[in-house]
Amino acid sequence: MKFDTVIMGGGLAGMVAGIALQQAGKNTAIVSMGQNALHFFSGTFESLQAPSERLAELFSAAGIRVHYRKGVRLMPLGTFKEAALSLDDIDLFPTPKFGRRVLIVNFLGYHDFFSSFLAEGLEKQGMECRIRFLSLPELDNAKAHGEMRSVQIARSMDRIWEKVAQEIRLLLKDEDTVILPQVFGLLDDTVPGRLRQAIPARVVFAGTMPPSVPGVRTQMQLRRRYELLGGTFLMGDQAIRAHEHDGVVHSIATHNLDAHYLEARNFILATGGLYSKGLVSNPFKITEPILDLDIDQPQDRNEWYNPTFAGEQPYMGYGVKTDEQLHAIKDGVAMQNVYAIGSILGNTRPELGSGAGLAINSAFAVVDQILRCTQNDNEEPATPVILSEAKNL
Amino acid sequence: MKLQEYTTSAHNFEECMKCTVCTAYCPVLQVNPLYPGPKQAGPDGERLRLKDPYFFNYALKYCLNCKRCEVACPSGVKVADLIQSARIKYDTHPPKLRDQILASTDFMGTLARPFAPIVNAVTDLGITKKVLDFSLDIDHRRTFPKYSGRSFESWLKRRSKEQAAFPEQVAYFHGCYVNYNYPQLGKDLVKVLNALGVGVQLLDKEKCCGIAMIANGMAREAAKHAQHNVEVLGKAVSRGLKVVTTSSTCTLTMRDEYPELLKVDNSAVRDSLLMATRFIYEKLEQGATLKFRADYHKKVAYHTPCHLEKLGWGVFSERLLRMIPGVEFTMLASNCCGMSGTYGFKKENYEASQAIGAPLFEQIKTLNPDVVACDCETCKWQIEMSTGYPVMNPISILAEALE
């Protein structure tokens, strides 16, 4: 099969690149090995401090609603983090003290939402908290087999949110704020908004353990948008090998399509970091498994990690080397039609939540680069793009 | 030094990161409170079962083996294979009579075919359904597939000379469904391949791929079928032939379940075994052409069967259908229909089966297509019964649209 661009990796970076290229009239394919980091998405783009019109436009065309407000967001354990851009599900507050009296509501039997940690954190900010549990027969199924996860609850909530709102109205005393686990709006994204209107207090959704409900929904919306634009999404497949000639890749082989190669003019590597197997490690070194690209890493294995478990871990920063235009570098030479975007670039820090920002900015940068190259066809790309910005996020 | 990279277990359960992504995509977990879900049934359970088989949970039988957990897994863990292997290894109950009957698609087909009109009329009767429900726990609300009076094999055998005259040849693994129930699909394939200048041959006596046996606690019998099939496929492959199929589940079973679950080595034939849609697409890509009727018009909604999603080859069916000038194409959302072969026939699964398929049925009814396209026979039974819309294999739509 022939494409303009083949994107390896169907996470946020790959999806944004795919949608932007399809919008520009390009014919692309995305090869995605399983689901992606959007399933762990907090719902805020912490590292994007400026309002990104381009992102908002791309998202709103996919039906994803975001808003911009510089402030802080509530973390799952009751702490706060600075953020400016988030999905509409998640509130951004001017200051951590966003209410006076708070009612925290959880579902009986749901262990992936930490109500007492939340209460402790909020009390430190001077808020008064009360925790209550709702017992709903609709959730008995999930409770029975012990696999009561965010997504299972969310599937029921799409149907029974009105009943939940009613129960909460009965529980409410003099609280001005209600905190609920983020298990609303999986398939129907109007549910969080309608729930907010149905409860006579401010409703705040706080993060749960994965899968992230707004993340799963965002993933579904992006994929739908990509396919509507004519993109070919190969779910559950994995790029295993690239065929190159004189530093130019002309096709890749995938696990499922074996001898049926995917040919393209450009290739984007968005396969993620160590967690997503975009990079793999053995006891001696870290490698990039598809193209064997050059990787920033120290010689001595002892430097990979920090013995303080919760400290900053150097290995999390390792990524493939690129030039300023994000061309991937192999054996010291930049490959002219292979680009790297997202977590595979390294330098992401989970504790800073910088993954989403890096994914989006690097994806846009590479899309611009590819579009510019096709415009001038064989000419050299005009000016280097805004790469340093993306890398330092 | 024994390094972890060299000591990955058979279905790599130790690579599970406990991210729970699979639980979001398991269709059974949403509807059946008795099923522990792919994470617990698969990698979590495997850890315990290795310690002590006591931890084997009979609720694993509720797994559809749809493989959606594997398609979703970001770590490449073979979750469904773990579950099915555990059933093969630890489930010591002999299969019930009902399960043996449901699993023996070959045998039942051979028995029923000579009496097809009678069998079809009898299985359609309310009273028969009640009796089967009462005596065998086969749900009375099911519609049974019809048997054909003449097998596809005998139809093609009569045309073997005419087929041998084509410059290029392929072998066709037709499977039980085409042979006993619906020879028309096989005839449609012959029509399309002939139009491409390709003649169709039978294999040297294929047997049922064995998936229904795997699903019903008859793995030993399934392995015998697998060995036989690998052998006859091997004969065709050694003559330089590709082997095409029209059923996504037979294909997945012979390519992946044979080595993974039945430990039957298929490496000599695996790469030559292709869905016909992929074979045809590749021919067209190499420059062959098909001429379509100018007056053909059909609104087609395409459902990708779970096993085709796992194979990753839905794209070929989609592209072929989109290529037909008169086809107005819609891709249905990725959902399981709930049938999963013999699973939906069982009384204890009927409700769950219909609940799983509900979103798909609803989408089809909203779209109101002329026809639903799908590469799986059991999805076809389920969708036709539950929505009333006709379901056609993409190959049949191609054949119908040809000049």
Side-chain angles (χ1 to χ4, degrees):
Chain A
M1 258 175 250
K2 285 195 183 72
F3 299 93
D4 293 317
T5 301
V6 167
I7 301 158
M8 295 165 259
L12 186 59
M15 210 77 100
V16 166
I19 292 174
L21 285 168
Q22 287 294 141
Q23 273 173 338
K26 298 292 169 194
N27 173 27
T28 69
I30 295 179
V31 184
S32 180
M33 179 200 166
Q35 295 292 359
N36 49 66
L38 276 169
H39 289 62
F40 315 103
F41 183 35
S42 66
T44 52
F45 305 88
E46 281 111 17
S47 54
L48 292 181
Q49 291 298 321
S52 165
E53 258 173 52
R54 192 174 184 186
L55 177 70
E57 231 166 77
L58 185 143
F59 270 16
S60 84
I64 303 164
R65 285 187 277 261
V66 293
H67 64 278
Y68 176 78
R69 182 188 297 148
K70 251 186 160 48
V72 293
R73 81 169 178 96
L74 174 62
M75 301 287 286
L77 298 184
T79 54
F80 291 86
K81 198 191 252 183
E82 274 183 30
L85 188 69
S86 84
L87 297 180
D88 277 2
D89 308 57
I90 288 99
D91 285 280
L92 296 171
F93 310 107
T95 65
K97 188 170 190 258
F98 57 82
R100 282 187 304 134
R101 289 170 208 279
V102 181
L103 174 67
I104 302 173
V105 180
N106 192 9
F107 302 104
L108 204 63
Y110 183 45
H111 304 302
D112 288 351
F113 180 66
F114 308 109
S115 23
S116 31
F117 283 134
L118 272 173
E120 204 177 302
L122 297 182
E123 271 156 12
K124 274 189 201 146
Q125 302 291 339
M127 290 179 254
E128 222 172 274
C129 296
R130 192 160 66 94
I131 302 172
R132 283 293 173 272
F133 289 89
L134 284 184
S135 176
L136 298 166
E138 287 85 352
L139 299 180
D140 284 352
N141 260 11
K143 236 183 287 172
H145 49 52
E147 202 64 294
M148 193 172 182
R149 304 285 174 195
S150 57
V151 173
Q152 268 76 46
I153 301 177
R155 279 182 203 273
S156 307
M157 289 307 148
D158 272 353
R159 291 191 310 271
I160 61 161
W161 65 270
E162 277 177 299
K163 186 177 167 184
V164 173
Q166 199 183 346
E167 297 276 343
I168 292 171
R169 284 198 298 269
L170 292 174
L171 283 176
L172 261 182
K173 284 185 190 158
D174 53 353
E175 285 90 357
D176 49 66
T177 305
V178 175
I179 296 182
L180 285 167
Q182 223 171 60
V183 293
F184 297 90
L186 178 67
L187 299 176
D188 179 355
D189 69 342
T190 63
V191 169
R194 283 148 79 188
L195 195 66
R196 279 178 174 137
Q197 285 188 342
I199 294 172
R202 172 180 214 163
V203 177
V204 173
F205 300 103
T208 65
M209 290 290 277
S212 148
V213 169
V216 173
R217 187 187 65 227
T218 305
Q219 143 77 23
M220 291 191 284
Q221 288 167 315
L222 288 173
R223 179 171 171 184
R224 201 174 309 139
R225 172 74 178 150
Y226 175 71
E227 289 184 321
L228 271 178
L229 288 166
T232 300
F233 195 91
L234 301 170
M235 184 66 208
D237 203 354
Q238 184 186 3
I240 49 175
R241 194 174 61 243
H243 308 114
E244 53 179 301
H245 186 71
D246 287 342
V248 176
V249 173
H250 48 87
S251 66
I252 59 161
T254 74
H255 178 266
N256 286 341
L257 298 177
D258 42 68
H260 191 109
Y261 303 142
L262 302 178
E263 296 168 40
R265 294 183 60 176
N266 299 294
F267 293 85
I268 300 178
L269 198 63
T271 42
L274 282 163
Y275 189 89
S276 307
K277 298 195 176 176
L279 301 174
V280 293
S281 68
N282 67 26
F284 313 107
K285 63 175 189 173
I286 294 170
T287 51
E288 186 285 307
I290 304 170
L291 286 139
D292 197 18
L293 299 172
D294 296 355
I295 290 173
D296 265 321
Q297 60 183 314
Q299 288 295 316
D300 182 4
R301 185 188 152 91
N302 290 319
E303 290 173 33
W304 288 9
Y305 47 83
N306 176 349
T308 310
F309 180 72
E312 194 184 317
Q313 294 292 343
Y315 69 85
M316 288 190 174
Y318 301 158
V320 297
K321 290 185 188 168
T322 67
D323 69 2
E324 288 217 310
Q325 287 102 42
L326 290 183
H327 291 112
I329 293 179
K330 183 176 176 173
D331 302 329
V333 184
M335 302 183 83
Q336 283 315 299
N337 71 338
V338 180
Y339 301 86
I341 61 174
S343 309
I344 199 169
L345 292 171
N347 294 310
T348 51
R349 300 257 305 275
E351 70 274 24
L352 296 183
S354 53
L358 177 71
I360 288 162
N361 280 359
S362 56
F364 279 139
V366 163
V367 166
D368 290 344
Q369 179 77 7
I370 287 176
L371 294 178
R372 202 170 307 145
C373 284
T374 13
Q375 250 173 24
N376 314 346
D377 227 11
N378 293 331
E379 282 175 39
E380 280 296 300
T383 36
V385 215
I386 9 114
L387 276 281
S388 42
E389 198 185 308
K391 269 212 125 174
N392 295 336
L393 273 173
Chain B
M1 188 166 43
K2 267 202 166 180
L3 302 174
Q4 199 204 338
E5 59 167 326
Y6 306 125
T7 55
T8 308
S9 69
H11 302 297
N12 61 341
F13 78 94
E14 67 280 10
E15 292 187 359
C16 170
M17 306 248 195
K18 312 297 167 203
C19 72
T20 69
V21 163
C22 56
T23 64
Y25 294 90
C26 173
V28 185
L29 190 55
Q30 324 303 338
V31 300
N32 187 346
L34 299 172
Y35 183 57
K39 177 168 158 283
Q40 280 187 35
D44 288 7
E46 187 68 7
R47 223 174 30 180
L48 299 172
R49 294 189 289 263
L50 283 175
K51 279 191 178 162
D52 190 337
Y54 165 82
F55 290 106
F56 174 72
N57 181 349
Y58 281 93
L60 263 53
K61 70 176 179 191
Y62 295 115
C63 167
L64 284 167
N65 197 22
C66 68
K67 311 270 186 203
R68 284 180 178 268
C69 44
E70 289 186 12
V71 174
C73 178
S75 305
V77 177
K78 292 175 175 161
V79 187
D81 289 353
L82 280 167
I83 298 170
Q84 294 307 318
S85 300
R87 291 188 58 206
I88 292 172
K89 192 167 167 195
Y90 302 107
D91 189 344
T92 49
H93 290 173
K96 294 206 255 182
L97 176 63
R98 173 202 63 188
D99 296 355
Q100 292 186 29
I101 293 175
L102 288 175
S104 308
T105 48
D106 255 4
F107 182 69
M108 295 309 287
T110 318
L111 278 189
R113 194 178 45 75
F115 317 103
I118 305 170
V119 174
N120 292 341
V122 170
T123 51
D124 241 5
L125 292 176
I127 180 77
T128 316
K129 292 185 177 182
K130 287 266 157 61
V131 170
L132 287 175
D133 189 302
F134 182 73
S135 59
L136 288 175
D137 284 347
I138 294 176
D139 199 277
H140 65 274
R141 286 160 289 190
R142 279 282 160 219
T143 312
F144 293 99
K146 300 276 170 281
Y147 284 101
S148 159
R150 223 171 110 199
S151 72
F152 173 74
E153 280 188 1
S154 68
W155 180 87
L156 191 60
K157 259 182 208 157
R158 289 202 193 168
R159 285 158 183 79
S160 54
K161 234 185 225 160
E162 155 199 328
Q163 289 301 315
F166 283 93
E168 196 188 330
Q169 297 285 311
V170 289
Y172 176 33
F173 182 96
H174 47 67
C176 307
Y177 172 69
V178 165
N179 201 34
Y180 303 113
N181 303 105
Y182 195 63
Q184 188 55 45
L185 172 54
K187 296 175 191 174
D188 291 340
L189 177 71
V190 172
K191 180 178 172 188
V192 177
L193 288 177
N194 286 175
L196 288 164
V198 180
V200 182
Q201 301 181 7
L202 290 170
L203 289 164
D204 183 12
K205 295 207 176 73
E206 64 173 69
K207 279 189 176 172
C208 166
C209 70
I211 187 67
M213 291 175 165
I214 298 173
N216 286 287
M218 297 164 70
R220 223 174 315 147
E221 291 82 347
K224 280 185 201 151
H225 279 220
Q227 264 144 10
H228 171 89
N229 283 337
V230 168
E231 203 176 298
V232 300
L233 290 167
K235 282 189 202 166
V237 171
S238 65
R239 286 193 289 132
L241 297 181
K242 292 253 186 256
V243 183
V244 298
T245 58
T246 41
S247 160
S248 42
T249 293
C250 299
T251 313
L252 181 82
T253 304
M254 293 190 290
R255 282 177 61 100
D256 296 338
E257 308 284 66
Y258 283 4
E260 294 288 346
L261 299 183
L262 302 176
K263 311 286 168 222
V264 172
D265 178 14
N266 65 352
S267 52
V269 300
R270 188 177 184 273
D271 290 348
S272 303
L273 190 59
L274 301 174
M275 289 291 288
T277 43
R278 175 171 169 177
F279 178 83
I280 294 166
Y281 180 84
E282 286 175 354
K283 288 237 67 108
L284 296 172
E285 212 178 40
Q286 288 155 17
T289 49
L290 286 172
K291 275 200 185 115
F292 293 105
R293 277 161 48 190
D295 62 340
Y296 190 75
H297 183 82
K298 224 160 218 182
K299 198 172 154 191
V300 177
Y302 178 66
H303 165 65
T304 317
C306 300
H307 286 169
L308 194 61
E309 286 212 18
K310 175 67 178 112
L311 282 168
W313 295 354
V315 62
F316 298 113
S317 299
E318 180 193 344
R319 291 189 163 213
L320 285 180
L321 289 169
R322 280 186 192 272
M323 202 183 60
I324 304 172
V327 163
E328 199 185 311
F329 182 92
T330 313
M331 183 65 136
L332 292 164
S334 170
N335 278 307
C336 176
C337 76
M339 188 63 186
S340 184
T342 59
Y343 186 92
F345 280 105
K346 299 174 184 173
K347 196 174 177 177
E348 68 271 24
N349 295 336
Y350 182 84
E351 308 281 345
S353 173
Q354 296 311 103
I356 290 169
L360 173 67
F361 309 151
E362 215 167 283
Q363 198 191 2
I364 292 172
K365 287 175 187 163
T366 317
L367 279 168
N368 188 26
D370 296 321
V371 65
V372 176
C374 173
D375 321 68
C376 168
E377 52 278 4
T378 71
C379 297
K380 172 180 158 85
W381 303 335
Q382 171 77 329
I383 296 169
E384 287 185 339
M385 186 194 93
S386 311
T387 67
Y389 286 89
V391 179
M392 286 169 84
N393 190 296
I395 296 292
S396 296
I397 296 179
L398 274 177
E400 192 182 68
L402 280 185
E403 227 173 38

